[in-house]
Amino acid sequence: MANSRTFMSRTGMSSRLMGRSRGNIPENPPQKFRISTQVGKKISKVRWLKTGNVGVIPEPFVPEYFIVGSWGELENEISLWKLTPHESSSNEEETKPEIRILNRTPILGNVTDAVGIGSDAFALTTSSGAVSIFKLTDVDHNETNPTSFQLSYSKQLHSIREKKSCPATGIATSEKSMVTVGEDGSIYELSMNTFEIINSFEFVDELSFCCIEFTGVSSIATGNNGGQVKVWDLRSTGKKPTRTLNHLDDLSPAISIAPHPTQNHILLVGYSSGGTDLWDLRGSSSEPIANLQQQEGGVSEISFHPVYPDNFYTCSQSGQVIHWFTAQNTSETDLVQNNDYDTDLNLEFLKYGLSCRTLYSSPFPINSMNLSRNNRLICGGDSGIMFCTEKC
């Protein structure tokens, strides 16, 4: 896959994908470390925590914390882990990492989504329809060295007409609130201070929700089982989406949404068909800016790099984690015609095309991945193996 040629299409134009990166991360950067460990359970979600260790500029020897959730087991769990990089005594440029588990606790149902809250908490949703918030404990005065966690709040939110619980499928947070979605087609907004429901959009979608992300202070985007991405204004009293984006190829579920780190109107959407659409929420176009067809298995998660957004990543049910990056510009300046490219988007790969490389492969589905600002990637799936690499 590292040397593969792929295809990016757009109305009226096509881009050939070249072999070297033009972006901030080279195509084949030196791997400072690659490490894996067996968790012992099938992994559904992995997430870095936003502890005080993480700064604006990537630091190679700063420890980080992350959580791992499981699914499909007789007893599922959420666990807290610590990654500690150590400088190699033989080579100052090399890092010798250590990963160890700090704490774990059983969870009722499958862990369906998870997100860090500030520097001292995290939240997760489960297939039982609940949202739970956990507080990190035993932290020092800088809140950078948690050693455990404890349940702070839990509430059953999603159900079918209040009679039977159904899975909560996604959670997203902003500075003031958190929002959950579920298979009941409902949206619930909770206060970040009290965790009480402050807004609800009950049964607003006839199809099950698959994912959710904030696209602004009071706007969210949801993906459903029919391949639709709907944009909602949480301040609205009409309880209807302000915009609906339809996947043109088929009705494959919209599994994952990734807003651009600095241009929230730009969304990457991954589908269970293995395709990916790039959308611009400005204007009223009914077609995506670009469409990628890249993987045999469905996209499990998709994410922009938090520091270098001309790079993005996908993991899939076919067992691959793929890094997508801007291709090198050549003398063939007609790769993208000027009248096809909107300069307001400021996306290098729209001008020069995309290339890709495989970061990790497994014979089992990869269900989740996450990138930290320290340029580290973790992923995990049905094999129960958690993989971490630096210089991703």
Side-chain angles (χ1 to χ4, degrees), residues 221-354:
T222 60
N224 69 18
N225 269 345
Q228 294 177 315
V229 174
K230 297 183 179 182
V231 181
W232 309 79
D233 187 343
L234 295 174
R235 301 165 297 182
S236 171
T237 58
K239 310 298 184 182
K240 293 183 178 181
T242 59
R243 188 169 180 189
T244 299
L245 311 174
N246 293 296
H247 187 42
L248 301 180
D249 293 343
D250 51 41
L251 298 179
S252 300
I255 298 296
S256 181
I257 298 173
H260 191 279
T262 59
Q263 304 178 73
N264 283 347
H265 55 87
I266 297 176
L267 298 181
L268 276 171
V269 182
Y271 301 89
S272 64
S273 62
T276 301
D277 284 344
L278 179 69
W279 291 93
D280 186 354
L281 298 182
R282 302 172 300 176
S284 57
S285 175
S286 61
E287 295 185 355
I289 303 166
N291 175 263
L292 305 173
Q293 294 292 338
Q294 82 280 19
Q295 299 180 101
E296 294 180 2
V299 174
S300 301
E301 288 189 339
I302 188 168
S303 178
F304 282 101
H305 195 290
V307 180
Y308 309 113
D310 279 318
N311 299 260
F312 65 92
Y313 301 77
T314 57
C315 64
S316 71
Q317 293 297 293
S318 60
Q320 292 179 316
V321 178
I322 297 178
H323 170 200
W324 299 84
F325 52 92
T326 307
Q328 181 185 28
N329 189 21
T330 68
S331 58
E332 299 179 72
T333 55
D334 61 342
L335 289 176
V336 179
Q337 299 295 330
N338 291 335
N339 61 348
D340 289 323
Y341 175 66
D342 185 350
T343 55
D344 289 343
L345 291 177
N346 193 27
L347 293 174
E348 291 286 299
F349 58 75
L350 280 186
K351 290 187 285 186
Y352 306 114
L354 279 169

Side-chain angles (χ1 to χ4, degrees), residues 6 23 28 34 41 47 63 74 88 147 150 171 194 199-200 208 214 217 258 312 319 355:
T6 54
N28 292 302
R34 295 167 63 93
K41 295 179 181 291
R47 293 290 184 264
L74 292 177
S88 174
T147 59
Q150 61 185 17
I171 186 169
T194 64
N199 198 3
S200 62
S208 298
F214 271 92
V217 176
F312 65 92
S355 190

Side-chain angles (χ1 to χ4, degrees), residues 39 41-47 49 66-71 73 75-81 101-116 122-126 132-136 148-151:
V39 174
K41 295 179 181 291
K42 291 188 291 187
I43 298 171
S44 60
K45 292 294 170 182
V46 291
R47 293 290 184 264
L49 297 181
F66 59 92
I67 53 175
V68 178
S70 71
W71 81 282
E73 305 288 348
E75 183 178 77
N76 290 299
E77 66 178 28
I78 186 76
S79 52
L80 174 66
W81 298 71
I101 187 170
L102 301 178
N103 191 26
R104 57 175 42 151
T105 190
I107 296 293
L108 178 62
N110 301 323
V111 176
T112 57
D113 203 2
V115 63
F122 62 89
L124 56 86
T125 55
T126 68
S132 300
I133 291 93
F134 294 85
K135 287 284 188 180
L136 301 178
S148 185
F149 60 89
Q150 61 185 17
L151 181 66

